[in-house]
Amino acid sequence: MLELARLTKRYKQLYAVKGLNMFIEKGEIVGLLGPNGAGKSTAISMLSSLIEPTEGDVRFHGKSILKSPGELRKVTGIVPQEIALYPELSAEENLQFFGRIYQLKGKQLKQRIEEVLELIGLQEKRKEVVKKFSGGMKRRLNIGVALLHQPSLLIMDEPTVGIDPQSRSYILETVKRLNEEKGMTVLYTSHYMEEVEFLCDRIYIMDKGNLIAAGTKEEIKQILTSETTVLIKVEQLNEKFVQRLQAEPSIHQVSTGENEVTVIVPKEIPVFKLILNIAEHTDIELLSIEMKATTLEDVFLHLTGRALRD
Amino acid sequence: MIWRIIIKQCQVLLRNPMHLLLLFGLPLLLIVILGTALSGAMGEDVKDVQVKVAMINNDSPGLGLQQLVEEKDVSAQEFAKLQTAVKQYAIPSLLDHAGKANATLLTKIDDRAPQNKQAILQDDSYSALIEIPKNFTYDLLSYIYFDKGLPPGLQVYINEGLQFEANTILNLLNQIQERWTEEKLFLNKNIQLEPQYYKEMESIGQIESMNQRVVTSKGYYTIGMAVLNVLFIATTIGFYAFQEKRTHVFNRIILANVSRWTYFSAVFISGTLLGFIQLVVIFGFSWIVYGVSWPNISAFLIVTLLLSLAVGGLGMLLTAISYRNNSETITSFFSSVVIYVISLLGGSFYPIGDFSPLIEKIGDFTPNGAGMSVYLALLRGESLSSVANNLLFLVLFIIVTWFIAVISFPKRGEVL
Ligand SMILES: Nc1ncnc2c1ncn2[C@@H]1O[C@H](COP(=O)(O)OP(=O)(O)OP(=O)(O)O)[C@@H](O)[C@H]1O
Ligand SMILES: [Mg+2]
C-alpha cells in the first residue's frame, strides 16, 4: 500500500534519514523504533507529504506522492509527536474545526465528533478548554483529531510520550481495536519497545538516520539467538567491576543501572564462572545472576551499543 | 474553507481576554488619558470663534440687475441665470452660510443703515464692518458675465482689538472674491456651466470659504491611537499564526489538503477584518463619548478599509517571515520596537510633523502615518482627493506586503 524507496533527508551536513526502504501493507500495524534523533519524525513527515525528501520516493498504491499528495492525504490520519491542538478552544471546538477542514459538515460532522469523543473517552470533558487538560487527555484528543475523517491509514508519532500508564494502555488498546475492528492500517512510532512488541506485526528499527533492522518480532529477536542477556545484581556497584566487564573480550555489551549491570555474552561461554571471577577481583558482593529472555531492547543494545532510552 | 480558518482565528482571540483588553480596551483608555491631558497643549482653548460683523449695504441688487438687463439685451434664460447669481453671490448670504455651516465659527451679521457708520466704528463688539458699494450687483455681474470692468471692491473696516476674528472675516471675503474670478474664467473658456455645477461649486465653496473645522485633541488622539493600535492587530495575527506553526497545527491544516495559500489568505483576511472592527470600535467610542464625528462617512469607511487591508497585509507579511525564519523574533521586534517608532514618526503621540517637514514626510511613508494624515484631513472636512497621495501610499503598501509575503512564504514541503 505504502512504499518508501531510498528515502533520504539531509539538513546541511546531517542526514536525518538516510536511504530508508520500507513498506506498509493494508491492515498491518507496523512499528518504527529508534532512540531520540533517529530520524523517525523526519521519515514520517516525508511519507505523509509534509516535507519533501532530498532523495528517494514515497509511493502510495504504486504512485509517487511527491507531486500529488492529495490521494494519500485524504485517507491518512496523522498523530503528530507534538500536541497539535488549539489550547484556547474546547475539545469539541477543536474537533469541529479540524473536522471542517477535512470537509465534514452538519450531521455527519456531529456524528463523527460523538464517535471520536467516545472512542477517546473524553465525552465528559468535551466543553472544557484543552489548556486545562491533563497530558494524557491532550494526547488522546491529539489522536482523536486524526481519526475524525475515518482514515484507513493512521500514522502515529510517539503518541504516548509523557503520560500516565493508564492513559497509555488506553491508547494502546484503542489502536489495537481500531486495527482489529476497522481494519485500519497503522504505522506506530515509539521508543518504547514494549509498546511496539504489544502492537506490531512488523518492526523497523532506526538509529542515526539509518535502518538497522527490519522484520517481524520473531525475526528481529533471532538476531540475538547466538547470544544471551545476563542481568547481574550487586550489593554495591563500583567502577572497577564495570571496567573489568568492559575489558573482557567475550562480553559484548555492558550497560549499568542502579546496582545492576546487564551484559550480553555468546551462549557458549561459561558466563557464571567468568562473572564470579571478576566480582571476586573487584570486591563486589553479588546478589544474583540471571539469564533474561531476549527483548527488542536487547536487540537494540546489541545493534547499536546503546540503550534505547537514557 | 477560508472562513473556517478566519472564524477559528476570531474564536481564539475571544478566548484570550488579555489580548482583547489590550487590543480594544487599552486604546480607549489611552484616548481618554492623552486627549484629556493634552487638550491644553493643542490650542483648544479657542473654542468657538464668535464673529460679529456689521454690514452697510449701499447696493440695491434689484436695480443693478434691471440696469444690466436694459443695457445688454438679455434673454429670458440668461435673466434667470443672472437672478440666481445675484442671490448666490450676495455677501450677507455667503457669510451667513459660512456661519451656519461651521459650528466653530459663529457669524452674526447686523444690517445697519449708512448713517450709523461712525457709531459702529466706535463699537468694540464688532469685529469688522463691511460696506458694500453702491453698484455692487451691477459691477459684479458685468465683470463675471460680460467681461466688463473690474470686480467690485468691498470696503472693510477691521477692529484691531479683535484681530483673530477680523482675520477670519478677511479670509472669507478673500476667498469669495477669488471665486468670482474663477467663475469668470470658466465662462470665458466657454464652458457651459450646468446648474448642477453651481451646486457643486457651492458646496466646495462652503468648505473653502469657511474656516476649517477644528480638530480637537480628543479627535486627534482618537486617530493617533487608532492608527497605532490597529498595528497590534497585525502582530497579534502574526503571533497566532506562528503559534499554529509551533504547535504543528499548521501541519494538520496542510495535511487536510488545505492549500497554504488558502491558509495565508485567511491570515490576511482575519487581520483585515479584526483591524476594521477595532478601528470602528475606537472611532465609535470617540464619536459616542466625545462627539468626534465624521463629515463624510463613506470617505471615512473607505480609509478605514484601506488601513485595515494594510494591517492585514502587514500581519500576513509578519507571518510569512516568521514561518520562513521559524522564529517569531520579527513579530516581537515589530510589536515592541517598530510600532512605537513609526507611531512616533506618524504623529500618534504628538503632531511631531508640525516641527519638521522631513519627519512629516517620513511619517507619511508609514501605514499608520498615511492613515493618520487621511483621517485628520477628513476630520477637518477636506475631501479624499486632497489626500490622494496618502491613499496611494496605502494601496502601494498593501501591494508590497503581498508581494514580499508571497515570495518569502515557504514553498510546499519546506515547512516543518
Ligand atoms: N528542520 C531540521 N533542520 C535541521 N535538522 C533537523 C531538522 N529536523 C530534524 N533535524 C535533525 O534530524 C535528526 C532526526 O530528527 P527526528 O526528529 O526525525 O528524530 P526522531 O527520531 O523523531 O527523534 P525523537 O524520538 O526525539 O522524536 C535529528 O538529529 C534532528 O536534530
Ligand atoms: Mg520524533
Side-chain angles (χ1 to χ4, degrees):
Chain A
M1 183 163 102
L2 195 66
E3 254 180 290
L4 283 59
R6 293 183 287 79
L7 204 60
T8 300
K9 184 75 191 180
R10 204 182 64 207
Y11 292 111
K12 302 214 172 78
Q13 299 305 316
L14 177 91
Y15 281 93
V17 173
K18 195 171 179 184
L20 177 63
N21 291 308
M22 204 171 144
F23 68 90
I24 302 170
E25 292 299 346
K26 197 167 161 33
E28 279 188 308
I29 303 186
V30 173
L32 181 56
L33 265 168
N36 291 126
K40 305 180 296 292
S41 298
T42 308
I44 283 182
S45 295
M46 284 190 285
L47 74 86
S48 62
S49 82
L50 211 48
I51 57 171
E52 284 184 348
T54 316
E55 268 169 63
D57 198 3
V58 178
R59 285 187 285 269
F60 183 59
H61 291 305
K63 273 189 295 191
S64 172
I65 64 146
L66 297 187
K67 288 285 164 284
S68 48
E71 275 306 299
L72 175 74
R73 285 179 181 177
K74 233 182 278 172
V75 299
T76 308
I78 309 269
V79 180
Q81 184 170 358
E82 301 78 14
I83 304 287
L85 301 166
Y86 290 100
E88 300 91 346
L89 304 186
S90 70
E92 197 169 15
E93 286 163 339
N94 267 288
L95 289 169
Q96 269 161 357
F97 173 69
F98 290 111
R100 284 192 176 118
I101 63 169
Y102 269 105
Q103 317 279 3
L104 297 173
K105 304 184 185 60
K107 255 208 174 109
Q108 196 197 4
L109 175 63
K110 243 179 143 167
Q111 192 194 334
R112 279 305 296 156
I113 290 177
E114 289 310 316
E115 287 168 9
V116 167
L117 280 172
E118 198 201 317
L119 189 71
I120 58 178
L122 286 178
Q123 291 124 305
E124 318 267 276
K125 299 279 181 182
R126 63 201 303 159
K127 298 274 182 231
E128 213 165 285
V129 292
V130 169
K131 222 172 5 192
K132 296 190 182 151
F133 276 13
S134 73
M137 281 150 64
K138 285 182 195 163
R139 282 279 157 206
R140 282 190 273 172
L141 186 59
N142 205 34
I143 296 170
V145 167
L147 296 171
L148 273 170
H149 62 296
Q150 298 186 284
S152 55
L153 171 63
L154 184 64
I155 299 176
M156 309 179 90
D157 193 352
E158 298 188 34
T160 58
V161 283
I163 60 171
D164 57 292
Q166 224 175 334
S167 281
R168 189 166 162 203
S169 59
Y170 188 95
I171 289 172
L172 292 176
E173 294 293 344
T174 308
V175 173
K176 193 128 203 164
R177 238 176 65 213
L178 284 169
N179 172 258
E180 280 163 5
E181 290 169 15
K182 307 250 157 100
M184 197 179 279
T185 312
V186 181
L187 175 62
Y188 192 96
T189 303
S190 178
H191 40 172
Y192 292 104
M193 289 291 178
E194 59 278 17
E195 290 184 2
V196 172
E197 281 205 75
F198 169 75
L199 280 176
C200 305
D201 313 312
R202 286 191 308 113
I203 297 165
Y204 290 86
I205 302 181
M206 288 181 76
D207 186 39
K208 295 180 177 163
N210 295 299
L211 193 62
I212 54 173
T216 62
K217 268 183 282 197
E218 290 67 33
E219 283 168 350
I220 287 186
K221 284 182 187 168
Q222 286 290 314
I223 296 172
L224 277 190
T225 45
S226 57
E227 307 191 6
T228 182
T229 308
V230 181
L231 179 67
I232 310 160
K233 292 198 169 145
V234 300
E235 173 89 11
Q236 180 70 45
L237 194 60
N238 68 27
E239 197 56 26
K240 254 191 352 214
F241 180 63
V242 179
Q243 279 169 0
R244 278 292 297 274
L245 288 172
Q246 282 167 336
E248 184 58 46
S250 55
I251 294 179
H252 286 168
Q253 299 290 347
V254 181
S255 60
T256 55
E258 190 172 345
N259 290 331
E260 59 179 49
V261 180
T262 309
V263 295
I264 296 175
V265 291
K267 282 214 166 112
E268 62 276 7
I269 70 155
V271 65
F272 284 97
K273 208 175 136 203
L274 184 67
I275 291 170
L276 284 170
N277 194 6
I278 294 175
E280 202 171 309
H281 279 90
T282 53
D283 299 326
I284 282 284
E285 183 107 359
L286 287 172
L287 295 181
S288 69
I289 299 177
E290 52 184 287
M291 312 287 269
K292 285 204 316 182
T294 308
T295 65
L296 289 174
E297 202 100 36
D298 305 326
V299 179
F300 188 80
L301 195 62
H302 166 78
L303 290 171
T304 65
R306 285 176 293 124
L308 203 47
R309 266 165 287 134
D310 306 316
Chain B
M1 194 50 59
I2 286 191
W3 283 109
R4 290 284 152 235
I5 300 175
I6 294 167
I7 289 168
K8 183 263 318 150
Q9 211 89 318
C10 298
Q11 239 176 346
V12 171
L13 178 62
L14 284 175
R15 294 290 161 79
N16 274 300
M18 200 59 202
H19 286 174
L20 276 181
L21 207 66
L22 284 175
L23 289 174
F24 292 92
L26 190 64
L28 305 187
L29 188 69
L30 285 171
I31 292 167
V32 173
I33 293 172
L34 288 171
T36 311
L38 297 175
S39 64
M42 295 198 61
E44 204 139 314
D45 315 342
V46 204
K47 271 267 161 63
D48 295 336
V49 185
Q50 290 262 10
V51 189
K52 202 171 145 199
V53 182
M55 175 134 23
I56 296 177
N57 195 352
N58 300 312
D59 180 43
S60 163
L63 282 178
L65 184 58
Q66 199 182 344
Q67 193 186 344
L68 203 65
V69 170
E70 281 164 11
E71 271 175 31
K72 303 283 176 187
D73 204 7
V74 175
S75 73
Q77 201 192 355
E78 279 173 316
F79 180 74
K81 202 194 275 177
L82 290 176
Q83 252 185 334
T84 324
V86 169
K87 277 193 209 126
Q88 208 149 28
Y89 294 119
I91 299 293
S93 86
L94 276 177
L95 285 178
D96 194 36
H97 218 106
K100 280 200 193 107
N102 191 329
T104 57
L105 176 66
L106 303 174
T107 35
K108 184 166 180 303
I109 300 167
D110 288 346
D111 234 335
R112 307 298 293 263
Q115 58 268 32
N116 295 333
K117 186 168 165 180
Q118 281 313 313
I120 295 166
L121 288 176
Q122 302 299 323
D123 186 343
D124 263 353
S125 70
Y126 288 108
S127 304
L129 166 64
I130 302 172
E131 198 172 356
I132 298 176
K134 205 163 165 223
N135 289 323
F136 176 80
T137 303
Y138 177 83
D139 287 348
L140 181 62
L141 295 178
S142 308
Y143 171 71
I144 295 180
Y145 291 94
F146 302 100
D147 198 13
K148 190 183 138 215
L150 293 169
L154 294 168
Q155 191 80 33
V156 185
Y157 302 87
I158 280 177
N159 181 349
E160 300 281 343
L162 295 170
Q163 193 77 47
F164 181 77
E165 290 80 351
N167 279 340
T168 310
I169 291 296
L170 279 180
N171 262 335
L172 284 182
L173 292 172
N174 267 337
Q175 285 172 20
I176 288 169
Q177 279 171 319
E178 274 167 25
R179 287 286 314 287
W180 296 341
T181 315
E182 248 168 53
E183 193 87 346
K184 179 180 149 82
L185 277 175
F186 273 109
L187 285 167
N188 278 355
K189 284 185 184 150
N190 255 337
I191 298 168
Q192 190 66 44
L193 295 181
E194 306 283 326
Q196 210 182 336
Y197 174 78
Y198 277 98
K199 256 198 182 149
E200 258 173 52
M201 286 295 276
E202 195 184 11
S203 66
I204 293 169
Q206 263 183 30
I207 293 165
E208 283 179 353
S209 65
M210 266 187 278
N211 200 8
Q212 286 174 330
R213 283 168 51 116
V214 172
V215 176
T216 63
S217 66
K218 300 281 187 340
Y220 188 88
Y221 282 111
T222 299
I223 297 173
M225 290 303 111
V227 300
L228 159 62
N229 282 278
V230 79
L231 296 175
F232 286 113
I233 294 278
T235 54
T236 305
I237 285 294
F239 278 126
Y240 283 3
F242 189 72
Q243 188 187 322
E244 288 180 323
K245 179 179 188 315
R246 205 182 38 229
T247 59
H248 292 75
V249 166
F250 176 75
N251 286 348
R252 278 213 146 118
I253 295 175
I254 293 297
L255 288 172
N257 240 346
V258 176
S259 123
R260 59 195 200 291
W261 300 119
T262 304
Y263 172 80
F264 212 39
S265 308
V267 170
F268 173 72
I269 298 174
S270 313
T272 305
L273 194 72
L274 289 172
F276 194 84
I277 293 173
Q278 192 205 41
L279 288 170
V280 168
V281 166
I282 293 177
F283 285 117
F285 168 85
S286 82
W287 175 56
I288 293 166
V289 179
Y290 295 126
V292 177
S293 66
W294 296 87
N296 185 343
I297 288 288
S298 49
F300 165 79
L301 288 176
I302 289 172
V303 180
T304 304
L305 183 65
L306 266 183
L307 188 59
S308 311
L309 287 168
V311 165
L314 190 59
M316 179 179 60
L317 179 61
L318 292 172
T319 304
I321 296 176
S322 55
Y323 267 63
R324 166 156 226 122
N325 297 347
N326 199 9
S327 128
E328 56 193 348
T329 315
I330 177 84
T331 316
S332 306
F333 180 64
F334 209 87
S335 74
S336 57
V337 179
V338 178
I339 286 185
Y340 293 104
V341 172
I342 62 179
S343 292
L344 188 67
L345 291 172
S348 278
F349 301 108
Y350 201 79
I352 190 170
D354 289 357
F355 301 114
S356 150
L358 179 67
I359 292 184
E360 186 160 28
K361 277 256 150 54
I362 297 173
D364 273 346
F365 282 98
T366 62
N368 53 304
M372 182 141 192
S373 295
V374 179
Y375 277 129
L376 281 173
L378 291 185
L379 202 56
R380 281 194 299 258
E382 290 166 30
S383 69
L384 275 183
S385 55
S386 68
V387 281
N389 282 344
N390 297 318
L391 294 173
L392 185 68
F393 171 78
L394 282 178
V395 173
L396 284 178
F397 182 84
I398 297 164
I399 295 172
V400 168
T401 53
W402 262 96
F403 182 73
I404 303 179
V406 166
I407 57 172
S408 46
F409 199 57
K411 306 288 166 288
R412 191 172 83 78
E414 279 182 8
V415 186
L416 193 68

Short mmCIF file of all heavy atoms in Angstrom, two decimals, chain B residues 294-302:
data_model
loop_
_atom_site.label_atom_id
_atom_site.label_comp_id
_atom_site.label_asym_id
_atom_site.label_seq_id
_atom_site.Cartn_x
_atom_site.Cartn_y
_atom_site.Cartn_z
N TRP B 294 -17.69 62.27 11.81
CA TRP B 294 -17.04 62.36 10.50
C TRP B 294 -17.97 63.03 9.51
O TRP B 294 -19.08 62.57 9.29
CB TRP B 294 -16.65 60.97 10.03
CG TRP B 294 -15.64 60.41 10.96
CD1 TRP B 294 -15.88 59.73 12.11
CD2 TRP B 294 -14.24 60.59 10.88
NE1 TRP B 294 -14.70 59.47 12.75
CE2 TRP B 294 -13.66 59.97 12.01
CE3 TRP B 294 -13.39 61.21 9.96
CZ2 TRP B 294 -12.30 59.96 12.25
CZ3 TRP B 294 -12.04 61.17 10.20
CH2 TRP B 294 -11.49 60.55 11.33
N PRO B 295 -17.50 64.13 8.90
CA PRO B 295 -18.36 64.85 7.97
C PRO B 295 -18.76 63.97 6.79
O PRO B 295 -19.85 64.11 6.26
CB PRO B 295 -17.50 66.02 7.48
CG PRO B 295 -16.28 66.03 8.31
CD PRO B 295 -16.18 64.74 9.04
N ASN B 296 -17.87 63.06 6.42
CA ASN B 296 -18.17 62.24 5.25
C ASN B 296 -17.95 60.76 5.61
O ASN B 296 -16.83 60.25 5.58
CB ASN B 296 -17.24 62.66 4.11
CG ASN B 296 -17.57 61.91 2.83
OD1 ASN B 296 -18.27 60.89 2.86
ND2 ASN B 296 -17.07 62.42 1.72
N ILE B 297 -19.06 60.10 5.95
CA ILE B 297 -18.97 58.73 6.45
C ILE B 297 -18.38 57.78 5.42
O ILE B 297 -17.55 56.93 5.73
CB ILE B 297 -20.36 58.22 6.88
CG1 ILE B 297 -20.78 58.91 8.18
CG2 ILE B 297 -20.35 56.72 7.10
CD1 ILE B 297 -20.02 58.45 9.40
N SER B 298 -18.78 57.94 4.16
CA SER B 298 -18.29 56.96 3.18
C SER B 298 -16.79 57.13 2.96
O SER B 298 -16.06 56.15 2.83
CB SER B 298 -19.07 57.04 1.87
OG SER B 298 -19.14 58.37 1.44
N ALA B 299 -16.32 58.37 2.97
CA ALA B 299 -14.88 58.58 2.85
C ALA B 299 -14.18 57.95 4.06
O ALA B 299 -13.15 57.29 3.93
CB ALA B 299 -14.55 60.06 2.78
N PHE B 300 -14.78 58.12 5.22
CA PHE B 300 -14.22 57.53 6.44
C PHE B 300 -14.13 56.01 6.31
O PHE B 300 -13.11 55.40 6.64
CB PHE B 300 -15.10 57.91 7.64
CG PHE B 300 -14.85 57.08 8.87
CD1 PHE B 300 -13.76 57.34 9.68
CD2 PHE B 300 -15.69 56.02 9.19
CE1 PHE B 300 -13.51 56.56 10.81
CE2 PHE B 300 -15.44 55.24 10.31
CZ PHE B 300 -14.36 55.52 11.11
N LEU B 301 -15.18 55.42 5.80
CA LEU B 301 -15.19 53.96 5.68
C LEU B 301 -14.15 53.48 4.66
O LEU B 301 -13.52 52.45 4.85
CB LEU B 301 -16.59 53.46 5.30
CG LEU B 301 -17.61 53.57 6.44
CD1 LEU B 301 -18.99 53.14 5.95
CD2 LEU B 301 -17.20 52.73 7.64
N ILE B 302 -14.00 54.25 3.60
CA ILE B 302 -13.01 53.87 2.59
C ILE B 302 -11.61 53.85 3.19
O ILE B 302 -10.85 52.89 3.04
CB ILE B 302 -13.07 54.84 1.39
CG1 ILE B 302 -14.35 54.60 0.60
CG2 ILE B 302 -11.85 54.66 0.48
CD1 ILE B 302 -14.61 55.61 -0.48
#
